[in-house]
Amino acid sequence: MTQAEIKLCSLLLQEHFGEIVEKIGVHLIRTGSQPLRVIAHDTGTSLDQVKKALCVLIQHNLVIYQVHKRGVVEYEAQCSRVLRMLRYPRYIYTAKTLYSDTGELIVEELLLNGKMTMSAVVKKVADRLTETMEDGKTMDYAEVSNTFVRLADTHFVQRCPWVPATENSDPGPPPPAPILVISEKDMYLVPKLSLIGKGKRRRSSDEDAAGEPKAKRPKYSTDNKEPIPDDGIYWQANLDRFHQHFRDQAIVSAVANRMDQFTFQTQTSSEVVRTMLRMSEITTPSTDPFTQPLSSNEIFRSLPVGYNISKQVLDQYLTLLADDPLEFVGKSGDSGGGMYVINLHKALGSLATATLESVVQERFGSRCARIFRLVLQKKHLEQKQVEDFAMIPAKEAKDMLYKMLSGNFISLQDAYSQIEKALHVADFAVNTDAE
């Protein structure tokens, strides 16, 4: 990591968790994985404080641990996860956009607490929503629970790994650290809970609640507390799913800018792509290059209610998208009225290229952007070819190439290296044919 990233991680940890957690977290970021006692020795922190700091970091998925062959447990910081804390407001706003205020508070509670049981989240969110309502109105637990189920069904929240149950007959010593496991089918399985109740308002003071100080009230012992129905089943926000949603939104926006810019009344092309992405958001892993094939008939049935276009018009838009040079949408078969996929890697590559071209144009001007676009398309160009293809005078082209070379936007490769590389490829091809 760069020094700027380490400094940013330090500021984030200190703002959210305090100085001790920040000291332990930054130490692990700088040094890599280390055992408990080495961390305490190197940071000059007591063993008890290091344990508490590591508990906080593990609770928020900012540190992981591994058990080595000799039984030594080492802790390692997750730098990328720390930096994702910058996106917490965006995750929360996305949940609000998709699932209203209830979804927003559910995701906020999970992000602020790291891991929570479903029952605890439902009760906390119901109480917070009740605080914002008019007097006499309350939020039902069932309504919050339904929103939680919808978030789990669309994979925005997921179960945390747990310690599998072991047989009591095992005489061996316990492992130095618990081994957490979870199966794919259980990751989004919501337990059946009968949460009955409504949110409660907080009193402004203890005396307002019962007319007497809190110390004089009869303490109803904890023996009367009911057992937690989902004890041991913890949930966390699935940040990768939020990033997948951001990717899908960027693809839809790119299609709208390219295909629907001359359509003033409707944005049919982008709506078709949005429908295809929505149908594939759970069935297609975020790392796959293509979405699952979808038939034209399935896409037509899944269009939003009230979107009045005929099947024939939909087929025309799908053909238009498949024939577009950007190749965001491809045709993979003819069954079911035609099978279509979204080329996710191609779409992301096009978006990245457009971003790079925009940065070059912003820093160096439109002519540099033209040269940069040419180099991207042709891969390798000599200076004379750049002048001819870009139709820019030799002196200006040389000056622009030097600016982009100084900014590391392009690189220089001599002709000898290219010839040597081509000879290696040719030799490999000849040897393969001989074998």
Side-chain angles (χ1 to χ4, degrees), residues 352-362 365 369 372-373 376-377:
T353 301
T355 303
L356 282 173
E357 292 174 0
S358 176
V359 171
V360 171
Q361 181 166 344
E362 187 70 24
F372 185 76
R373 196 176 298 113
L376 278 176
Q377 291 174 354

Side-chain angles (χ1 to χ4, degrees), residues 56 59-60 107-116 124:
V56 172
Q59 171 78 7
H60 289 267
V107 172
E108 183 181 340
E109 287 294 331
L110 289 174
L111 290 174
L112 291 178
N113 294 280
K115 302 177 179 69
M116 294 180 71
K124 185 70 178 293

Side-chain angles (χ1 to χ4, degrees), residues 53-255:
L54 288 173
C55 284
V56 172
L57 293 169
I58 293 173
Q59 171 78 7
H60 289 267
N61 299 312
L62 304 178
V63 163
I64 60 173
Y65 59 84
Q66 290 182 339
V67 182
H68 291 271
K69 293 181 180 179
R70 296 182 178 179
V72 178
V73 182
E74 290 192 349
Y75 300 88
E76 182 180 357
Q78 299 295 292
C79 309
S80 60
R81 181 64 190 239
V82 176
L83 294 175
R84 285 184 179 183
M85 295 168 69
L86 288 170
R87 298 182 181 174
Y88 279 9
R90 191 177 180 189
Y91 301 146
I92 295 170
Y93 180 74
T94 300
K96 179 182 178 68
T97 304
L98 297 175
Y99 300 101
S100 71
D101 293 343
T102 307
E104 173 194 9
L105 293 183
I106 290 174
V107 172
E108 183 181 340
E109 287 294 331
L110 289 174
L111 290 174
L112 291 178
N113 294 280
K115 302 177 179 69
M116 294 180 71
T117 62
M118 177 181 171
S119 57
V121 173
V122 169
K123 292 176 182 177
K124 185 70 178 293
V125 170
D127 290 346
R128 290 183 61 182
L129 288 172
T130 300
E131 288 284 339
T132 63
M133 292 181 173
E134 300 176 0
D135 292 339
K137 293 183 179 181
T138 56
M139 174 59 67
D140 201 323
Y141 287 170
E143 188 173 343
V144 180
S145 181
N146 290 337
T147 304
F148 192 99
V149 171
R150 290 168 58 199
L151 284 164
D153 289 341
T154 50
H155 296 185
F156 283 102
V157 298
Q158 62 183 11
R159 278 194 186 189
C160 302
W162 65 81
V163 181
T166 56
E167 297 181 0
N168 296 329
S169 58
D170 187 5
I179 300 174
L180 306 178
V181 297
I182 189 170
S183 61
E184 185 72 25
K185 64 178 182 179
D186 294 334
M187 194 171 291
Y188 306 102
L189 182 63
V190 181
K192 294 182 179 179
L193 303 177
S194 56
L195 297 175
I196 302 173
K198 296 182 179 181
K200 300 177 178 61
R201 299 179 187 273
R202 290 182 299 177
R203 299 290 184 177
S204 58
S205 67
D206 294 319
E207 295 185 7
D208 293 339
E212 57 185 33
K214 182 178 179 181
K216 294 184 179 180
R217 288 190 211 163
K219 293 184 178 179
Y220 299 100
S221 64
T222 56
D223 299 338
N224 297 330
K225 286 187 176 180
E226 298 179 0
I228 301 174
D230 57 343
D231 189 21
I233 303 176
Y234 289 89
W235 293 80
Q236 61 187 355
N238 184 5
L239 303 189
D240 290 335
R241 178 66 182 88
F242 281 97
H243 293 162
Q244 181 183 337
H245 177 76
F246 300 154
R247 178 205 67 189
D248 293 349
Q249 293 297 103
I251 293 174
V252 171
S253 178
V255 172

